[in-house]
């Protein structure tokens, strides 16, 4: 096993035993990135010099002491670029640390590297990046999922021990599934979003990518908690997310939402997920069939609410205070219109226009207000389901990783890739994806993800369940050949 | 298919984005399909349902009205595309 193969927990043990130094870890990672990132293209930029200076000072006795962490390029780190994979933020340098970065630093971690994404986190394939597509480490002709495709691919390709991403409709869990790593979307309000470039404010949440469920718990411990700078972060006790790891599944009731096993899902995904669910049963879990009757409306609700909120959030990109500005505008209107035309890519423009339309006078009630009401019904579905079980188990994505370019001309088909992940954001609950096997296409093995969904603020239990499953398999140990 | 209601050119003006004619045609058709898809929400009876704005809503989040450290002026200006005399330059609004 080479150094970049270590989990965060294993790396920490070696750092604390003085078998390795934080600089060794960082340099090994940089060597790995130099070797494989020309193919994977997970990173948009790296500042090795700053990271080395920080690593040299790191206190390895802290919870994440000396561990380098890759950051999705939508979270501000002082002095670093934060492009959101958009041309409109090409000249921007972050003047402050996001709260999650300040918390990672307080835990001893070293932020290192900026990871690719779909522009402004809008997409499911990372092909909407204005800079480069990221490729799936298991098959370089395929997408890594999105929007946090760089964060997922880097962890899977051993170019990072752990990374941060953001999840608005599945942008952590779906790429984790397609790349074969663990991705955790915490409960809405669990993690501060101060310093995260906002996409849809009632849905966005920051969370970790790791290779093990234990590492996901360690990361969540570092970043969770109420923050006075994010008034939507909730004042809930931050319990140790790893506290329940190692407990078995006896007495755990797992709900299987029948609407999540639909026609049209890839049969290889279905087989892997059904096998995994049987495995949970053999480990002592009790299986309960539950119903989430409004599931079929989740994608429609999401694309109204998320685009509406995005159209408001992205109004701030006006070429005045930061970012790209059009040359020689003839008046203010021309300044705005050309700045935004030149700065935004197609998908971002499409979503701003859809969001502006559904909020516009005469259409607000028919689209936005109605979507908010159906959102209430989707939330109630989960409340009812959790009355019968401790957590839900289902596929993360209906598909294996698809080919680069396969869906770029068909936005609606791309949106439907998020069908199993979106409802958790609408309901504000927590969810994670853990590797549960492989399918095969064109002679290449492609990872499948198992999704567990938990009640608000029940991340420790969710991790306990996922950990018990994970430790009974070898899926999380598989690495792509690069 | 395109939605008869959605006028992409007009909405793009509201959103302050210039679009090429090719983009307008393409978005008209793509967003028409998306709007057609979301028509399914009309099947749901929402007559007695309250809207959800935030999944885990909190209300009246206040803090003590005390000045706290914030960005230095130079840091706040560092990203401005145009600036002069320690101020951000805005494109002229009045004649």
């Amino acid at each position: 096993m080479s150094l970049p193969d270590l989990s965060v927990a294993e790396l920490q043990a070696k750092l604390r035993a003085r078998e390795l130094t934080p600089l060794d870890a960082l340099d090994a990672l940089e060597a790995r990135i130099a070797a494989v990132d020309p193919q994977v293209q997970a990173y948009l930029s790296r500042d090795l010099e700053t990271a080395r200076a920080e690593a040299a000072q790191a206190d390895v006795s802290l919870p994440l002491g000396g561990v380098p962490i890759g950051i999705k390029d939508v979270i501000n780190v002082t002095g670093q670029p934060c492009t959101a994979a958009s041309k409109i933020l090409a000249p921007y340098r972050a003047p402050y640390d996001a709260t999650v970065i300040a918390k990672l630093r307080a835990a001893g971690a070293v932020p290192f590297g900026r990871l690719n994404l779909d522009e402004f986190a809008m997409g499911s394939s990372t092909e909407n990046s204005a800079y480069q597509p990221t490729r799936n480490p298991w098959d370089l002709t395929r997408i890594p999922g999105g929007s946090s495709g760089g964060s997922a691919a880097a962890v899977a390709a051993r170019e990072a021990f752990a990374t941060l991403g953001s999840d608005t409709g599945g942008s952590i869990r779906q790429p984790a599934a397609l790349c074969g790593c663990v991705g955790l979307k915490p409960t809405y309000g669990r993690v501060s979003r101060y310093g995260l470039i906002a996409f849809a404010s009632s849905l966005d949440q920051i969370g970790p990518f790791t290779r093990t469920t234990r590492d996901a718990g360690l990361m969540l411990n570092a970043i969770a908690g109420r923050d006075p700078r994010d008034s939507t972060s909730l004042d809930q006790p931050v319990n140790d997310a790893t506290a329940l790891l190692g407990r078995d599944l006896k007495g755990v009731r797992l709900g299987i939402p029948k609407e999540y096993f639909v026609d049209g899902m890839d049969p290889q995904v279905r087989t892997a997920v059904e096998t995994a669910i049987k495995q949970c049963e053999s480990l002592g879990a009790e299986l309960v069939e539950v119903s989430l009757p409004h599931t079929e409306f989740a994608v429609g609700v999401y694309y109204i609410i998320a685009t509406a909120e995005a159209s408001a959030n992205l109004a701030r990109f006006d070429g005045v205070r930061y970012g790209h500005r059009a040359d020689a505008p003839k008046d203010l209107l021309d300044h705005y219109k050309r700045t935004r035309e030149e700065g935004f890519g197609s998908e971002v423009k499409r979503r701003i226009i859809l969001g502006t339309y559904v909020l516009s006078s005469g259409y607000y009630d028919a689209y936005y207000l109605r979507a908010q009401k159906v959102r209430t019904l989707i939330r109630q579905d989960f409340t009812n389901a959790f009355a019968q079980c401790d957590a839900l188990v289902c596929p993360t994505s209906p598909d294996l990783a698809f080919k680069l370019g396969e869906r770029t001309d068909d936005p609606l088909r791309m949106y439907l890739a998020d069908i199993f992940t979106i409802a958790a954001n609408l309901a504000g609950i927590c969810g994670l994806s853990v590797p549960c096997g492989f399918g095969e296409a064109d002679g290449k093995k492609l990872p499948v993800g198992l999704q567990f969904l938990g009640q608000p603020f029940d991340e420790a239990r969710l991790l306990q369940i996922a950990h018990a499953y994970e430790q009974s398999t070898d899926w999380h140990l598989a690495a792509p050949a690069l | 298919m395109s939605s008869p209601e959605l006028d992409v050119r007009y909405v793009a003006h509201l959103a302050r984005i210039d679009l090429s004619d090719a983009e307008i045609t393409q978005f008209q058709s793509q967003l028409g399909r998306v709007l057609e898809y979301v028509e399914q929400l009309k099947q749901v009876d929402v007559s007695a349902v309250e809207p959800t704005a935030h999944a885990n809503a909190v209300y009246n989040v206040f803090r003590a009205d005390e000045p706290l450290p914030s960005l230095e002026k130079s840091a706040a200006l560092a990203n401005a595309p145009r600036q002069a005399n320690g101020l951000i330059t805005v494109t002229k609004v009045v004649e």
Side-chain angles (χ1 to χ4, degrees), chain A residues 359-371:
Chain A
L359 288 176
S360 64
S361 176
Y363 300 101
Y364 179 92
D365 285 4
Y367 290 111
Y368 187 65
L369 188 61
R370 174 168 286 268

Side-chain angles (χ1 to χ4, degrees), chain B residues 22-76:
Chain B
E23 278 177 312
I24 288 171
T25 309
Q26 190 193 33
F27 289 6
Q28 191 75 47
S29 135
Q30 290 170 331
L31 294 177
R33 286 189 56 213
V34 174
L35 287 171
E36 212 174 70
Y37 176 78
V38 304
E39 285 293 301
Q40 53 156 295
L41 298 186
K42 294 195 174 146
Q43 300 164 25
V44 187
D45 178 7
V46 292
S47 51
V49 182
E50 290 295 314
T52 293
H54 273 263
N56 303 317
V58 284
Y59 301 96
N60 297 340
V61 180
F62 296 123
R63 66 166 175 82
D65 186 15
E66 289 159 2
L68 296 170
S70 59
L71 278 187
E72 295 293 326
K73 187 172 179 180
S74 60

Side-chain angles (χ1 to χ4, degrees), chain A residues 380-397:
Chain A
Q380 286 169 356
D381 282 354
F382 282 99
T383 307
N384 296 339
F386 285 130
Q388 298 165 257
C389 60
D390 301 301
L392 301 172
V393 60
C394 57
T396 309
S397 163

